[in-house]
């Protein structure tokens, strides 16, 4: 069966001084991995040489959390027959490539593990690493690989690639006695989880070696039909996997303390590791499980050292013979196996001495006075996250939260690293009371955290709490939603300022949670909708949050005309209230972002949204005036045909003290009506005069385009009336005609009783 193949790096095109390629030759939690030189040229080449010519079945590569290559190509190399196996003689065949994620979704806190199943024969493996993903953490455009794993079979006859080394059970004489054991050969490509890259990278080396020994003991017990013993060993393997991961993290912290020359902390870590390790070994009774003093079973068993787990036997054979049931690969209660195709969480950088002391104190109960193996029916109690016995899922019926899925474990890696898996299981439970309890527990732990705690530990706790708040904000149950708001309010109002974490952590908390809050402001439940809107307006007033300008900037992002009406209306109402509360005084609200938001809101098909946007525009015009019009269509008759814009522009005119165009039209109509009345009056007077002149006598033609009419005056004498009719065409003089000086008629004398009437037609 395929197993782990040993290799060494024989060529690399470049490397950083602190991250050399030789780091890839070993797998352990303290492995730093390889990184390219700064500002190197791409692509970068790396060649691995296997100890023996082998058939490769699976390739695994674990990349850096932020120094990430965009693409990695794989080539298998071999040398011709009768040729020395050297790098210069190798000839390569391209197998394919894998693309790596940019890791932005995880916040650059997880490492991606790629597993590729191949079938290639050779002595060399070449990696061609292409340019890096650009991000703010990768300052020097580097790429990094934490570990490489090659799984396959060594070729026994180099001239016959199909002739592989056999399985240790093939020649076992018990196959003749029990034909059902031939099912071991049904899956020749079965790969044990213990050969997976993630097992060695996140397990303490000593614990990993013990697990492999226990795996061999379990296989031996299955072949001997000692099923009770095999069950106990399987339970011990499951518990040891969690213990190994915790010891691996403590080893990393000890190494970091040594590098920073904090030898007191390194000594403390070493003592805690030794005590914890000894306690766990005693609790699990590893001396009896490993059968150091010899097997209690009378039948001798000879088994070669193997790391693989016994594959499930053939189903047809199981129906006829009483053989052991199929055993799945050993899987921890945390759901971390199998490891294929999953991003692995980056190791936690720091851990406070307080946490380590708590873990050491709660790591288990004192050893029993008499070492007696437990009954065969009941396996040892499972270990909880702190290493002690607790309510795991394997020890009978419990009322705790259900197990987490593989996807949930990957997603909650930051929460598990800081607060432990039991709390994470509550946060991901299907029971809302567990989810609420997880949020309240985190808030209590943050309140009790002393101000003297290390900044790095405090920052890690904050970010894990924000991750939990994000889930709580999305929760459909109002009690969980309110608990998340309470935790976020405490973080923004008290925790960050109390621990002096700075503006960057405030920005991080707001950036991660505000989009979800705005989304819930459009919820179908009125209470959740109102609470979300009130909370957004509330945190916008906090001094630390107000200084970041993040709330106004996020709320004033325009939305599409087809956006959900309820969410768009809530967002518009939030912007309106923010403007009334904050104004435009250096708080993130500007004429530009407000008007762009409102112009987009005016295009929405919902009337309430348009009405709120209209109110914001009018209020803004009262404050800043003319600059508002730069964002609107021109004020003309065509634009005013639109009722909405007509109302806005009329409001502008009213604010400026100008009459509206309707009022101007009304005034003009009145003036025209008045003028028409005057003309009618004059025409009536003219008609009366003409009638009067006809009745008084003949008129005297002056011969100058006028007529003199004499009318008797009751006071004595006559009234002379001169009527001149001037045609309209006579006003236009021909071109070239001399301009005659107008004759100025002397004013009439006081005793002159004549009156001149001149009417132009």
């Amino acid at each position: 069966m395929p197993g782990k193949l040993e290799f060494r790096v024989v060529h690399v095109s470049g490397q950083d001084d602190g991250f050399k390629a030789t780091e890839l030759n070993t797998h352990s939690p303290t492995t730093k991995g390889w990184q390219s030189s700064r500002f190197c040229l791409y692509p970068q080449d790396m060649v691995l040489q296997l100890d023996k010519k082998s058939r490769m079945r699976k390739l695994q590569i674990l990349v850096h959390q932020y120094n990430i290559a965009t693409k990695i190509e794989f080539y298998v190399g071999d040398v011709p027959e009768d040729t020395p196996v050297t790098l210069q003689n190798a000839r390569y065949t391209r197998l394919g490539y894998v693309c790596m994620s940019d890791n932005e979704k995880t916040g650059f806190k997880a490492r991606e593990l790629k597993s590729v199943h191949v079938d290639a024969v050779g002595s060399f493996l070449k990696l061609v690493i292409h340019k890096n993903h650009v991000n703010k953490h990768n300052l020097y455009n580097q790429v990094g690989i934490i570990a490489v794993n090659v799984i396959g079979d060594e070729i026994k006859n180099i001239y016959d690639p199909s002739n592989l080394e056999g399985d240790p059970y093939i020649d076992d004489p018990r196959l003749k006695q029990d034909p059902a054991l031939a099912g071991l050969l049904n899956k020749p490509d079965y790969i044990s989880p213990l050969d997976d890259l993630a097992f060695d990278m996140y397990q303490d080396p000593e614990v990993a070696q013990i697990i492999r020994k226990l795996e061999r003991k379990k296989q031996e017990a299955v072949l001997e039909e000692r099923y009770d013993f095999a069950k106990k060993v399987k339970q011990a393997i499951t518990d040891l996997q969690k213990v190994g991961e915790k010891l691996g993290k403590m080893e990393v912290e000890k190494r970091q303390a040594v590098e920073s020359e904090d030898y007191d902390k390194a000594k403390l870590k070493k003592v805690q590791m030794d005590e914890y390790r000894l306690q766990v070994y005693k609790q699990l009774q590893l001396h009896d499980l490993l059968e150091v003093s010899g097997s209690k079973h009378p039948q001798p068993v000879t088994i070669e050292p193997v790391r693989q787990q016994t594959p499930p036997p053939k189903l047809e054979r199981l129906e006829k013979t009483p053989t052991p049931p199929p055993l799945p690969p050993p899987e921890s209660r945390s759901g971390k196996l199998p490891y294929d195709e999953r991003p692995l969480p980056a190791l936690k950088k720091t851990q406070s001495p307080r946490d380590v002391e708590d873990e050491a104190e709660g790591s288990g109960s004192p050893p029993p006075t008499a070492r007696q193996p437990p009954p065969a029916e009941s396996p040892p109690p499972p270990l909880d996250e702190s290493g002690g016995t607790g309510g795991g899922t394997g020890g009978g019926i419990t009322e705790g939260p259900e197990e987490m899925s593989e996807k949930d474990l990957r997603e909650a890696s930051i929460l598990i690293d800081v607060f432990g898996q039991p709390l994470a299981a509550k946060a991901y439970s299907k029971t809302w009371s567990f989810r609420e309890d997880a949020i309240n527990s985190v808030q209590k732990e943050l309140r009790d955290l002393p101000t003297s705690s290390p900044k790095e530990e405090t920052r890690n706790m904050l970010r894990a709490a924000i991750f939990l708040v994000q889930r709580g904000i999305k929760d459909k149950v109002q009690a969980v939603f309110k608990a998340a708001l309470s935790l976020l309010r405490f973080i923004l109002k008290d925790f960050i300022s109390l621990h002096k974490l700075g503006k960057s952590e405030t920005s991080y908390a707001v950036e991660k949670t505000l989009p979800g809050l705005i989304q819930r402001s459009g919820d179908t439940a009125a209470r959740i909708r109102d609470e979300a809107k009130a909370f957004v307006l509330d945190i916008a007033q906090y001094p630390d949050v107000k200084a970041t300008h993040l709330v106004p900037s996020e709320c004033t992002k325009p939305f599409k005309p087809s956006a959900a009406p309820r969410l768009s209306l809530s967002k518009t109402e939030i912007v309106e209230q923010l403007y009334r509360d904050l104004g435009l005084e250096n708080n993130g609200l500007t004429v530009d972002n407000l008007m762009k938001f409102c112009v987009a809101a005016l295009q929405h098909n919902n009337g309430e949204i348009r009405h709120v946007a209209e109110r914001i525009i009018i209020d803004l015009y009262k404050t800043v005036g003319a600059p508002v019009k730069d964002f609107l269509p021109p004020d003309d008759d065509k634009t005013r045909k639109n009722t909405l814009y007509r109302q806005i522009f009329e409001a502008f005119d009213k604010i400026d003290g100008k009459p509206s165009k309707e009022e101007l039209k009304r005034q003009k109509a009145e003036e025209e009506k008045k003028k028409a009345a005057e003309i009618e009056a004059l025409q009536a007077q003219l008609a009366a005069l003409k009638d009067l002149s006809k009745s008084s006598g003949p008129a005297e033609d002056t011969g100058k385009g006028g007529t003199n009419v004499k009318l008797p005056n009751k006071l004595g004498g006559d009234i002379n009336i001169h009527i001149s009719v001037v045609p309209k065409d006579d006003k236009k003089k021909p071109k070239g005609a001399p301009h005659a000086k107008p004759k100025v008629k002397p004013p009439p004398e006081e005793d002159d009783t004549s009156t001149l009437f001149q009417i132009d037609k």
Side-chain angles (χ1 to χ4, degrees):
M1 290 186 292
K4 206 167 189 178
L5 299 177
E6 299 294 332
F7 64 84
R8 59 189 178 90
V9 180
V10 294
H11 168 75
V12 67
S13 54
Q15 59 187 5
D16 193 285
D17 292 338
F19 302 89
K20 297 188 176 181
T22 52
E23 287 280 328
L24 301 178
N25 294 337
T26 57
H27 299 159
S28 71
T30 57
T31 299
K32 295 186 294 183
W34 165 85
Q35 288 186 16
S36 64
S37 57
R38 298 180 177 183
F39 302 111
C40 62
L41 299 177
Y42 290 102
Q44 293 280 298
D45 296 336
M46 179 184 298
V47 180
L48 314 178
Q49 183 176 359
L50 305 178
D51 286 354
K52 294 181 180 179
K53 187 172 183 178
S54 306
R55 169 170 287 178
M56 289 169 264
R57 298 299 182 92
K58 186 176 182 180
L59 307 177
Q60 292 182 299
I61 184 165
L62 181 65
V63 298
H64 198 268
Q65 57 264 34
Y66 55 82
N67 294 339
I68 309 168
T70 55
K71 184 172 72 172
I72 299 177
E73 295 183 76
F74 296 93
Y75 293 79
V76 62
D78 202 358
V79 296
E81 297 180 9
D82 301 328
T83 305
V85 182
T86 60
L87 180 63
Q88 292 75 18
N89 296 332
R91 303 293 182 267
Y92 297 97
T93 302
R94 186 174 184 271
L95 298 177
Y97 70 91
V98 293
C99 294
M100 315 305 296
S101 170
D102 57 11
N103 213 15
E104 289 183 0
K105 290 184 178 179
T106 65
F108 306 101
K109 296 295 182 182
R111 296 169 177 169
E112 185 176 9
L113 174 64
K114 283 287 186 182
S115 298
V116 183
H117 293 271
V118 298
D119 189 1
V121 176
S123 301
F124 296 92
L125 178 65
K126 181 179 180 180
L127 307 180
V128 178
I129 304 134
H130 291 260
K131 65 180 180 179
N132 62 292
H133 281 293
V134 179
N135 57 67
K136 62 182 179 180
H137 302 285
N138 193 354
L139 302 179
Y140 305 108
N141 292 338
Q142 295 173 280
V143 292
I145 296 177
I146 303 300
V148 178
N149 189 28
V150 183
I151 298 176
D153 306 278
E154 293 181 357
I155 295 179
K156 186 174 182 181
N157 184 353
I158 62 174
Y159 300 109
D160 185 6
S162 63
N163 187 5
L164 306 179
E165 293 237 2
D167 188 272
Y169 299 110
I170 291 179
D171 300 326
D172 197 299
R174 284 166 294 180
L175 291 179
K176 299 178 181 179
Q177 302 174 4
D178 190 355
L181 293 179
L184 294 172
L185 304 180
N186 289 341
K187 288 190 176 181
D189 295 337
Y190 175 78
I191 298 174
S192 171
L194 303 184
D195 288 331
D196 197 276
L197 178 60
F199 180 79
D200 283 326
M201 290 301 298
Y202 293 92
Q203 286 284 342
D204 177 72
E206 180 180 331
V207 175
Q209 188 64 24
I210 293 175
I211 290 175
R212 289 192 171 98
K213 290 180 180 179
L214 289 176
E215 182 66 24
R216 291 197 294 270
K217 286 291 182 183
K218 186 183 72 173
Q219 294 176 9
E220 179 181 344
V222 170
L223 291 175
E224 296 174 353
E225 299 184 359
R226 299 164 58 198
Y227 302 127
D228 291 337
F229 182 76
K231 183 178 179 181
K232 289 194 295 182
V233 174
K234 179 185 176 183
Q235 180 66 53
I237 290 174
T238 301
D239 295 336
L240 279 175
Q241 285 176 341
K242 289 191 274 188
V243 172
E245 288 185 6
K246 177 169 269 187
L247 288 173
K249 293 178 183 179
M250 296 174 73
E251 179 66 29
V252 172
E253 293 166 6
K254 184 182 75 172
R255 181 70 60 87
Q256 291 175 346
V258 171
E259 292 176 354
S260 60
E261 298 185 353
D262 188 355
Y263 300 118
D264 292 335
K265 182 178 179 180
K267 181 180 178 182
L268 176 64
K269 290 290 180 185
K270 183 178 183 301
V271 172
Q272 290 172 346
M273 289 174 62
D274 293 342
E275 292 178 352
Y276 181 48
R277 195 189 306 272
L278 183 60
Q279 241 177 356
V280 171
Y281 290 171
K282 287 182 178 179
Q283 179 183 345
L284 295 178
Q285 300 179 350
L286 289 181
H287 187 274
D288 293 341
L289 294 178
L290 292 173
E291 297 180 337
V292 178
S293 58
S295 174
K296 298 178 182 180
H297 198 273
Q299 179 181 356
V301 179
T302 303
I303 293 185
E304 298 180 12
V306 292
R307 290 178 297 198
Q308 294 83 357
Q309 180 188 359
T310 306
K314 207 171 186 179
L315 293 177
E316 293 84 353
R317 300 288 186 181
L318 286 175
E319 295 175 357
K320 299 179 181 179
T321 57
T323 52
L327 295 177
E331 180 174 353
S332 66
R333 285 185 178 79
S334 60
K336 292 188 178 179
L337 290 176
Y339 301 94
D340 288 357
E341 303 294 345
R342 72 181 183 95
L344 299 176
L347 290 176
K348 187 173 64 173
K349 293 183 178 179
T350 58
Q351 186 178 13
S352 67
R354 182 180 65 83
D355 290 342
V356 177
E357 291 173 3
D358 293 343
E359 292 169 358
E361 291 173 0
S363 58
S365 57
T369 54
R371 180 178 298 174
Q372 296 179 355
E377 301 83 40
S378 50
L383 297 176
D384 60 16
E385 191 66 19
S386 62
T389 58
T393 57
I397 300 176
T398 62
E399 297 182 358
E402 56 273 12
E403 294 182 2
M404 298 176 67
S405 65
E406 183 70 22
K407 178 183 176 182
D408 293 342
L409 285 167
R410 291 197 300 267
E411 184 180 307
S413 59
I414 183 174
L415 194 63
I416 295 172
D417 289 344
V418 177
F419 296 110
Q421 187 174 336
L423 188 140
K426 286 185 176 182
Y428 279 77
S429 175
K430 295 179 181 179
T431 306
W432 68 267
S433 58
F434 283 132
R435 301 197 297 270
E436 183 185 16
D437 182 60
I439 297 175
N440 294 334
S441 300
V442 169
Q443 183 169 352
K444 182 179 183 302
E445 190 165 346
L446 292 182
R447 287 185 185 277
D448 298 340
L449 185 69
T451 55
S452 58
S453 300
K455 293 291 183 185
E456 188 66 26
E457 176 197 358
T458 307
R459 186 175 293 107
N460 290 339
M461 293 185 69
L462 169 68
R463 302 207 167 194
I466 291 299
F467 174 81
L468 189 59
V469 169
Q470 286 180 276
R471 286 189 56 82
I473 288 174
K474 298 176 183 178
D475 204 293
K476 295 181 180 180
V477 180
Q478 188 188 12
V480 182
F481 177 72
K482 292 183 68 174
L485 295 187
S486 176
L487 176 56
L488 181 58
R489 182 181 286 109
F490 167 72
I491 290 173
L492 295 175
K493 200 172 183 179
D494 301 324
F495 184 79
I496 294 177
S497 58
L498 183 64
H499 292 269
K500 300 178 181 179
L501 294 178
K503 185 177 178 180
S504 61
E505 297 306 316
T506 303
S507 300
Y508 176 84
V510 176
E511 287 174 353
K512 291 293 184 181
T513 56
L514 186 58
L517 287 169
I518 295 176
Q519 192 69 25
R520 293 310 298 272
S521 68
D523 197 86
T524 54
R527 288 188 296 178
I528 291 181
R529 184 167 64 246
D530 295 340
E531 287 177 359
K533 289 195 292 186
F535 188 82
V536 171
L537 295 171
D538 187 26
I539 64 173
Q541 302 286 348
Y542 295 167
D544 293 341
V545 178
K546 189 176 180 180
T548 62
H549 301 174
L550 289 174
V551 176
S553 300
E554 181 68 26
C555 292
T556 53
K557 289 181 178 178
F559 48 79
K560 296 180 180 180
S562 59
R566 190 181 294 109
L567 175 60
S568 302
L569 178 60
S570 296
K571 194 173 180 181
T572 311
E573 291 174 346
I574 290 173
V575 171
E576 181 185 22
Q577 193 61 43
L578 282 175
Y579 174 63
R580 292 177 179 176
D581 295 343
L582 303 179
L584 298 176
E585 298 179 359
N586 191 25
N587 51 30
L589 288 177
T590 63
V591 178
D592 183 72
N593 60 17
L594 275 174
M595 284 304 301
K596 287 181 179 178
F597 174 82
C598 291
V599 169
L602 289 177
Q603 308 302 321
H604 202 278
N605 51 18
N606 185 279
E608 294 183 32
I609 298 172
R610 297 196 300 269
H611 184 62
V612 177
E614 179 184 344
R615 290 203 306 261
I616 298 174
I617 293 174
I618 294 173
D619 291 343
L620 190 60
Y621 187 81
K622 292 178 182 178
T623 305
V624 300
V628 173
K629 292 185 176 181
D630 296 340
F631 298 88
L632 298 173
D635 185 7
D636 52 23
D637 294 337
K638 183 179 179 181
T639 303
R640 290 200 179 228
K641 289 181 180 179
N642 186 312
T643 305
L644 182 63
Y645 285 115
R646 183 173 64 250
Q647 293 173 353
I648 293 175
F649 286 124
E650 287 179 357
F652 289 171
D653 293 339
K654 188 175 181 181
I655 294 171
D656 295 337
K658 300 177 182 179
S660 64
K661 289 197 173 184
E662 292 295 331
E663 294 176 353
L664 291 175
K665 287 182 179 180
R666 189 164 50 251
Q667 291 176 3
K668 187 176 180 181
E670 291 176 356
E671 290 176 358
E672 291 178 352
K673 186 177 180 181
K674 185 177 180 181
K675 187 175 180 181
E678 292 177 355
I679 292 173
E680 288 178 359
L682 289 173
Q683 289 176 348
Q685 292 178 6
L686 178 60
L689 288 173
K690 287 182 179 180
D691 293 341
L692 185 61
S693 64
K694 289 179 181 179
S695 62
S696 62
E700 180 184 353
D701 187 4
T702 61
K704 297 180 180 180
T707 303
N708 290 330
V709 180
K710 285 186 179 182
L711 298 175
N713 190 355
K714 294 181 180 181
L715 299 177
D718 296 328
I719 298 175
N720 294 327
I721 299 176
H722 176 75
I723 301 174
S724 298
V725 179
V726 182
K728 212 167 187 181
D729 296 339
D730 292 349
K731 293 182 179 180
K732 298 181 181 179
K733 295 183 179 181
K735 294 183 179 179
H739 296 279
K741 293 183 179 180
K743 294 181 180 181
V744 181
K745 186 176 182 179
E749 296 180 0
E750 294 180 359
D751 58 352
D752 189 1
T753 58
S754 62
T755 303
L756 176 65
F757 288 85
Q758 181 172 342
I759 300 175
D760 295 336
K761 289 185 179 179

